[in-house]
Amino acid sequence: MSKSSSDTEKTSPADLYRDTVFLPRTSFPMRGSLPVREPEWLKKWEENGLDDQIKIQSEGRQPFTLHDGPPYANGHLHIGHALNKIGKDVINRARRMSGYAVRYIPGWDCHGLPIEWKVEEEYSKSKRNKESVPVLEFRAECRAYAAKWLNVQMEEFKRLGVQAEWTNRYATMDFSSEAAIVQEIGRFLLNGGLYRGLRPVMWSPVEKTALAEAEIEYRDHKSTTVLVAFPVVRDPTAAQALQDVSVVIWTTTPWTLPANRALAYGPEITYVVLRIDETAPDALLAPGSRVLVAESLIGAFCRDAHITAHHVVYTLPGSALEGVVCAHPLRGSGYEYDVPMLPGDFVTTDAGTGLVHMAPSHGEDDFRLCRSYGIEVPEIVQDDGLYAPWVPGFAGVHVFKAADVVCAALTDSMQQRIAQKQSPAGLVARGELVHSYPHSWRSRAPVIYRATPQWFIRMDGEGDLREKALNALDGVNFVPAQARNRLTSMVRNRPDWCISRQRAWGVPIAVFVEKRSGEVLRDPAVMQRIVEAFREEGADVWYSAPASRFLGADRNPDDYEQVFDIVDVWFESGSTHAFVLGQPGLTFPADVYLEGSDQHRGWFQSSLLESVGTRGVSPFRTLVTNGFVLDEQGRKMSKSLGNVIAPQEVNDSLGADILRLWVMNSDTHEDLRIGKEILKQQGELYRRLRNTLRWVLGALEGFEADEAVPYNELPELERWVLHRLTDLGGLVNSAVETHQWVGVYPALHGFCTTDLSAFYFDIRKDTLYCDAPDTLTRRATRTVLDILHRCLTTWLAPVLVFTAEEAWTARFGESSSVHLQAFPELPAEWNNPELDERWVKLRGVRRIITTEIEDARRNGTIGSSLQAQVELTLSEEEASLFAGVDWSELCIVSHVDIMIDPQSSSVYIEGSEGGLLHGAPVVRAAEGEKCVRCWKVLPETGSRPDYPGLCLRCVSVVGATLAPDMQEEA
């Protein structure tokens, strides 16, 4: 195309050659616009049947199974759900891209108290009485509530980019699941592991049900403490050392004193009989009183009891207290029984008096010790926390409001004893203590120990579940490794598993008890009829069908009690392996269970005990644990603090890929932090990764396979980049096998920013933009960029599921998908540690040179680095090591003069020469003119009149590419 003379006069040389520069071009946009594009990708994947394509592609491959711990179907997802599911998704996707067949079945926990409460809240709003609602109607409403939130959460998980068999999800309330759960109960019934017994369990007066350890959280609680005197009524000591003496105990639960039936002492502890000589005005003990306390606790006792002077009358070993009997401090007010002193190896002198009161209904140690001596276990507290009507003096009082009432009664008793000049009986002192105390994690209310008939799975004795579970853990891999100690310790020290709950919405413990003998019916035929009925009609059939349907024609239903307690939801979720795993493509045991660290006492433990108890093996080969999510200041998230970060909000404002990147850039083995600033930082990291992909895609425009350069013909710099890829590939492959993903994606980000953008890309921009298309170096660069694109997009695909797909289809078209690709298998010859070591040294020299260049820029000697030329002095050993390096290319300057100083010693390496150190690099303004096309400053620039303003390299390129009409005008 010809131009007018006036146009030619206005055209500068730079304008003339602008179109001959090979600048990057790509459809991959700079801005991610993730909140808009991500839903579009989800729709495309569904329309294209991506999941079906993955399924077909996986046929015949070795299966990998990550079994999903079920979240609770109650409310929107929180950030902990996002952390957990994203972590699982990354593991699954990475395994699939490593050549495994992965079936991921998502699940939901649908039974339990929180859903009951939500339905009851609706009743309260409409002024309905739950007690008047038929149980089947109530259960139907609970089922509908759970189904609603299950579907909501499913869509929210999909929005996070989680890949799963959503149409094949499991739920504990499915009929098939309920049948499998009751069948697992039946397995324990038939193998002797299930029994009904009376013993103290964690009881929630608010929820009116027993709780498992996994349903407990410990919070600070202010308790009333009391010192209480029990007068000795039988003294078997040889010297009558305990005559007119009172045994003083200390407790933080004064409400348990009406249930007292014994006192415990330490056989190895030394005790003293203390005579009170003088007291402060506010003391409750009278001078002249004699009390028994541990010798080592005299000082603390006297301080708390306001005793100002005392002396020791007797010193005696704990073993001397055998056979001593006391009276209850409220004797004469309905508490007329004897209170024996018993040896307890759990008694310590850490606090109190070294003597402990025993309420067998309300403590595990109390229960075991008293039962071993045949002492009754009284029932004084009802399910709502109120004292029973038959409790003298305290009927109808709530245990958490009983401190004042109990202390008043004990004070009256003490005053009466003092007035009658009898040995002390009653309150000695009262105080307060803030300490860690068990609370229900659902209601956040404190709980109590309460002895009630419950259903248990025995840990010891027949079946020896504890020992088998500990042995099974020996073969389990833990990530992180220190988690092994936590779970092992919990299994080793836990009590029998209380699996019964006194609620309505759940799977009933579908067993019968013979009324005559009190024995549970262990009949395989009965259990099989129950399982079949549950499979056909769900657990509701237990409430709707007559008992005869299950018992059969040869048993009289009137002879049996039908149990309606429901099973612990942890037993339900712990049984999920029974109805999810073992199907085609879903191995049992599972390869991985992954949950938060709280699940060592929850799902991990219940799954282990359930599987070992019924199958003799652990249901998992590897346990992966993640921490909890805190805010940026390290605080728990709460609505009252206003620090809640909801995943839905992040999706809508930043995009799910940002949230996924946050997960994988965090140390998930520890507690994580999140907030607006942290997400802003993740957005910046994402921008750098995206820009890396965008530059690679732009530089690869028009790349064809026949342009590729064989490895042995690649320049050294390109071979170094490929070596670095093998390092990263090794990290990824190791993470796939070990599930140790912490640090992998920060390393990948560091590679993109430090090794690529700030180094390799910077160096090769001149080659890519200005060299002729067929030059070896340019072809080699694009060969490596092709490999980089394939590696980066596939390695990022498990995390940045949307962005990686966009970067893949921008090059290969939307008929393809990165999620159908495998991780690249990188040739072993690319791994070259010696080359890497050489380039570590070269980059070290380059940093020194660029520092000098920056100084020259600041002092005005040069503008850009291409306006510089460098004088680089090397020792002979350095010159030998760095032979063949194009320093002007490496340092992005126009010219480098190498000066070899044979008399100097090395600066940049540990050389063996002697002599003085040579000088630093010298930077000065380059000689010559600036090439208007490549911007290098060279003496040769403009030497061709027919190509004004060009260096000779650019002349040859332009001469081959410039259009004929432009050549005429030039």
Side-chain angles (χ1 to χ4, degrees):
M1 176 179 174
S2 62
K3 297 182 180 179
S4 68
S5 58
S6 59
D7 287 339
T8 303
E9 291 172 2
K10 295 177 183 178
T11 302
S12 68
D15 293 330
L16 183 64
Y17 305 125
R18 181 177 293 114
D19 291 341
T20 70
V21 178
F22 306 110
L23 294 175
R25 292 183 178 85
T26 177
S27 62
F28 187 77
M30 182 180 297
R31 294 181 62 85
S33 301
L34 297 178
V36 175
R37 289 198 178 105
E38 287 175 344
E40 294 173 355
W41 280 114
L42 289 171
K43 185 179 179 181
K44 285 180 183 178
W45 291 335
E46 186 174 3
E47 291 173 350
N48 295 339
L50 178 60
D51 288 347
D52 291 335
Q53 294 180 57
I54 289 172
K55 184 178 179 180
I56 293 170
Q57 186 187 66
S58 298
E59 290 177 1
R61 293 181 176 180
Q62 179 182 342
F64 170 80
T65 303
L66 189 157
H67 180 40
D68 189 33
Y72 200 67
N74 178 21
H76 291 285
L77 300 183
H78 56 66
I79 199 68
H81 289 124
L83 164 66
N84 179 263
K85 272 292 197 293
I86 289 169
K88 293 174 180 176
D89 192 48
V90 169
I91 287 176
N92 281 331
R93 288 176 180 271
R95 276 281 174 160
R96 184 180 295 119
M97 297 180 79
S98 297
Y100 290 83
V102 178
R103 291 192 63 195
Y104 178 53
I105 311 297
W108 274 268
D109 194 351
C110 300
H111 293 131
L113 189 60
I115 289 174
E116 288 196 37
W117 276 2
K118 290 297 183 180
V119 173
E120 289 176 18
E121 283 178 8
E122 295 303 315
Y123 286 176
S124 297
K125 292 176 183 177
S126 59
K127 298 182 179 180
R128 294 177 70 191
N129 182 0
K130 181 208 168 183
E131 303 305 322
S132 65
V133 178
V135 65
L136 289 175
E137 181 180 335
F138 179 72
R139 286 172 59 86
E141 294 189 51
C142 289
R143 181 177 292 277
Y145 180 91
K148 166 194 168 184
W149 284 109
L150 184 157
N151 290 324
V152 169
Q153 291 183 4
M154 183 187 298
E155 293 306 313
E156 291 174 341
F157 280 134
K158 289 180 182 179
R159 178 62 186 86
L160 290 172
V162 177
Q163 195 170 45
E165 295 186 22
W166 298 110
T167 57
N168 194 29
R169 98 293 174 272
Y170 78 85
T172 56
M173 68 179 182
D174 292 340
F175 288 2
S176 58
S177 301
E178 291 179 333
I181 292 165
V182 82
Q183 187 170 37
E184 295 303 296
I185 297 171
R187 290 177 186 268
F188 280 104
L189 172 70
L190 298 176
N191 69 21
L194 180 69
Y195 72 95
R196 181 158 68 171
L198 175 70
R199 51 167 286 184
V201 294
M202 293 280 196
W203 185 272
S204 171
V206 173
E207 294 145 301
K208 299 181 184 179
T209 187
L211 300 178
E213 180 65 28
E215 298 169 291
I216 297 298
E217 63 181 14
Y218 286 82
R219 304 157 66 94
D220 283 347
H221 180 74
K222 183 184 289 186
S223 293
T224 297
T225 63
V226 291
L227 290 165
V228 179
F230 287 70
V232 174
V233 296
R234 184 185 305 155
D235 176 13
T237 60
Q240 295 291 288
L242 300 180
Q243 187 173 355
D244 297 326
V245 172
S246 295
V247 176
V248 179
I249 63 90
W250 178 79
T251 182
T252 60
T253 54
W255 63 266
T256 62
L257 285 163
N260 173 270
R261 290 299 184 270
L263 303 179
Y265 61 86
E268 306 300 322
I269 297 174
T270 299
Y271 294 93
V272 297
V273 174
L274 210 64
R275 186 186 186 280
I276 313 305
D277 296 329
E278 295 179 14
T279 61
D282 51 353
L284 293 174
L285 284 173
S289 301
R290 294 188 177 198
V291 295
L292 182 76
V293 297
E295 182 180 44
S296 62
L297 293 168
I298 291 174
F301 167 71
C302 289
R303 183 188 66 243
D304 294 341
H306 308 291
I307 297 167
T308 56
H310 66 274
H311 68 274
V312 175
V313 180
Y314 291 103
T315 300
L316 60 164
S319 56
L321 299 178
E322 183 178 356
V324 173
V325 177
C326 299
H328 194 284
L330 297 179
R331 179 169 283 187
S333 301
Y335 299 85
E336 313 311 315
Y337 45 83
D338 288 340
V339 178
M341 296 194 72
L342 307 175
D345 57 9
F346 51 83
V347 180
T348 70
T349 55
D350 293 342
T353 64
L355 295 152
V356 182
H357 106 88
M358 296 283 99
S361 306
H362 303 292
E364 291 186 290
D365 289 333
D366 313 48
F367 177 82
R368 283 193 292 267
L369 183 61
C370 290
R371 285 294 292 264
S372 68
Y373 282 87
I375 295 172
E376 68 165 330
V377 181
E379 183 180 355
I380 70 162
V381 178
Q382 301 179 125
D383 61 0
D384 58 0
L386 301 180
Y387 286 119
W390 53 83
V391 179
F394 308 110
V397 177
H398 196 283
V399 294
F400 289 139
K401 298 179 181 179
D404 289 344
V405 181
V406 171
C407 287
L410 292 170
T411 301
D412 290 343
S413 175
M414 178 64 80
Q415 291 172 347
Q416 290 175 20
R417 299 284 290 192
I418 292 173
Q420 296 168 5
K421 300 188 183 307
Q422 294 178 311
S423 55
L427 190 67
V428 173
R430 176 178 179 174
E432 288 184 341
L433 175 70
V434 176
H435 60 142
S436 181
Y437 188 85
H439 290 66
S440 166
W441 70 270
R442 294 188 184 95
S443 66
R444 303 292 190 266
V447 301
I448 62 175
Y449 271 100
R450 177 174 180 253
T452 59
Q454 298 290 340
W455 290 93
F456 298 90
I457 292 174
R458 68 178 84 252
M459 292 297 298
D460 305 297
E462 185 177 357
D464 206 4
L465 178 55
R466 187 188 313 278
E467 191 63 28
K468 289 179 179 177
L470 291 171
N471 290 338
L473 286 178
D474 289 341
V476 173
N477 177 44
F478 284 80
V479 181
Q482 59 266 30
R484 176 184 300 278
N485 296 334
R486 187 176 187 198
L487 182 54
T488 300
S489 174
M490 288 180 171
V491 172
R492 181 176 290 117
N493 298 311
R494 67 160 296 138
D496 285 358
W497 185 3
C498 177
I499 66 165
S500 49
R501 300 292 181 270
Q502 290 65 50
R503 304 298 299 188
W505 175 230
V507 175
I509 299 175
V511 298
F512 292 94
V513 176
E514 189 178 35
K515 294 177 181 177
R516 177 180 57 82
S517 66
E519 294 294 323
V520 62
L521 178 62
R522 304 181 192 273
D523 185 332
V526 171
M527 182 50 62
Q528 186 59 37
R529 283 193 285 270
I530 293 170
V531 171
E532 290 173 358
F534 276 42
R535 188 172 290 116
E536 293 173 7
E537 302 173 44
D540 284 357
V541 72
W542 190 247
Y543 301 87
S544 62
S548 58
R549 174 175 175 179
F550 312 112
L551 288 168
D554 56 343
R555 297 187 186 276
N556 183 357
D558 294 338
D559 294 338
Y560 295 91
E561 169 200 350
Q562 185 175 356
V563 174
F564 286 98
D565 286 354
I566 63 168
V567 74
D568 174 17
V569 291
W570 290 110
F571 184 95
E572 289 194 24
S573 60
S575 302
T576 55
H577 66 84
F579 51 90
V580 176
L581 304 182
Q583 305 176 47
L586 293 165
T587 57
F588 177 84
D591 293 291
V592 173
Y593 275 33
L594 185 160
E595 297 299 331
S597 56
D598 58 330
Q599 296 309 314
H600 289 104
R601 61 189 179 99
W603 190 58
F604 290 161
Q605 191 174 158
S606 67
S607 298
L608 173 73
L609 297 180
E610 205 291 321
S611 180
V612 171
T614 57
R615 289 157 177 79
V617 297
S618 166
F620 40 75
R621 295 188 175 96
T622 295
L623 279 187
V624 181
T625 305
N626 60 250
F628 293 102
V629 184
L630 308 173
D631 73 2
E632 288 174 312
Q633 285 72 48
R635 302 172 300 178
K636 287 185 178 180
M637 292 190 181
S638 69
K639 292 180 180 178
S640 60
L641 291 175
N643 62 351
V644 174
I645 299 291
Q648 300 83 4
E649 295 173 1
V650 180
N651 292 341
D652 293 343
S653 60
L654 298 172
D657 269 358
I658 302 298
L659 199 56
R660 296 175 69 97
L661 189 62
W662 162 74
V663 171
M664 301 311 294
N665 275 335
S666 302
D667 184 349
T668 53
H669 299 332
E670 303 293 336
D671 289 344
L672 297 78
R673 297 190 180 192
I674 194 171
K676 291 181 179 179
E677 284 303 311
I678 289 174
L679 288 170
K680 182 179 178 182
Q681 293 166 12
Q682 296 302 317
E684 178 60 22
L685 298 179
Y686 171 83
R687 184 186 64 80
R688 293 174 190 164
L689 291 171
R690 186 176 184 90
N691 284 346
T692 298
L693 293 171
R694 185 170 187 269
W695 193 86
V696 170
L697 283 165
L700 281 171
E701 184 194 26
F703 179 82
E704 298 292 344
D706 58 5
E707 186 180 331
V709 176
Y711 175 77
N712 57 5
E713 297 178 22
L714 293 175
E716 188 177 310
L717 179 57
E718 274 62 38
R719 285 185 282 118
W720 172 80
V721 173
L722 296 184
H723 165 79
R724 288 290 293 122
L725 279 178
T726 66
D727 285 344
L728 290 165
L731 272 180
V732 172
N733 292 339
S734 175
V736 169
E737 293 301 319
T738 65
H739 315 297
Q740 294 272 15
W741 285 95
V742 174
V744 172
Y745 284 93
L748 191 58
H749 172 267
F751 171 71
C752 288
T753 56
T754 304
D755 290 348
L756 296 184
S757 295
F759 182 64
Y760 180 64
F761 294 171
D762 223 14
I763 292 170
R764 286 302 187 220
K765 282 177 182 176
D766 177 72
T767 295
L768 284 165
Y769 298 173
C770 298
D771 277 5
D774 59 351
T775 59
L776 176 66
T777 304
R778 189 175 191 276
R779 287 173 51 225
T781 302
R782 280 163 55 92
T783 299
V784 169
L785 291 178
D786 170 53
I787 297 167
L788 277 171
H789 175 262
R790 295 173 189 274
C791 287
L792 291 178
T793 51
T794 52
W795 288 342
L796 288 170
V799 181
L800 303 181
V801 294
F802 302 103
T803 303
E805 183 78 325
E806 185 183 4
W808 183 268
T809 57
R811 184 177 174 200
F812 298 115
E814 293 192 5
S815 61
S816 178
S817 172
V818 73
H819 301 299
L820 291 169
Q821 309 308 310
F823 287 151
E825 293 186 18
L826 306 182
E829 67 174 330
W830 291 4
N831 186 260
N832 190 335
E834 293 79 11
L835 180 66
D836 186 50
E837 186 176 347
R838 170 176 161 84
W839 277 87
V840 168
K841 293 183 174 68
L842 286 172
R843 293 181 74 179
V845 179
R846 182 179 189 266
R847 278 192 292 272
I848 294 172
I849 296 173
T850 54
T851 299
E852 297 296 328
I853 291 172
E854 287 304 311
D855 288 344
R857 194 200 308 270
R858 280 193 294 271
N859 64 33
T861 301
I862 60 171
S864 71
S865 66
L866 285 175
Q867 294 175 356
Q869 70 178 48
V870 177
E871 182 181 292
L872 178 63
T873 303
L874 301 175
S875 69
E876 287 186 334
E877 196 166 341
E878 289 168 337
S880 175
L881 179 65
F882 299 147
V885 174
D886 185 340
W887 286 101
S888 60
E889 176 185 81
L890 185 61
C891 300
I892 316 176
V893 297
S894 289
H895 183 69
V896 175
D897 290 313
I898 302 297
M899 309 295 292
I900 300 175
D901 184 350
Q903 306 300 318
S904 71
S905 62
S906 297
V907 172
Y908 307 123
I909 63 173
E910 293 182 7
S912 58
E913 322 99 319
L916 299 175
L917 299 175
H918 61 67
V922 177
V923 177
R924 62 175 61 93
E927 298 175 358
E929 297 297 325
K930 176 182 176 181
C931 174
V932 296
R933 182 171 179 270
C934 71
W935 295 4
K936 287 184 178 181
V937 178
L938 299 168
E940 67 194 44
T941 301
S943 60
R944 286 282 300 271
D946 49 340
Y947 291 98
L950 294 187
C951 68
L952 294 180
R953 186 266 307 257
C954 289
V955 166
S956 65
V957 177
V958 170
T961 59
L962 208 60
D965 58 340
M966 294 181 67
Q967 290 186 42
E968 288 178 14
E969 293 175 28

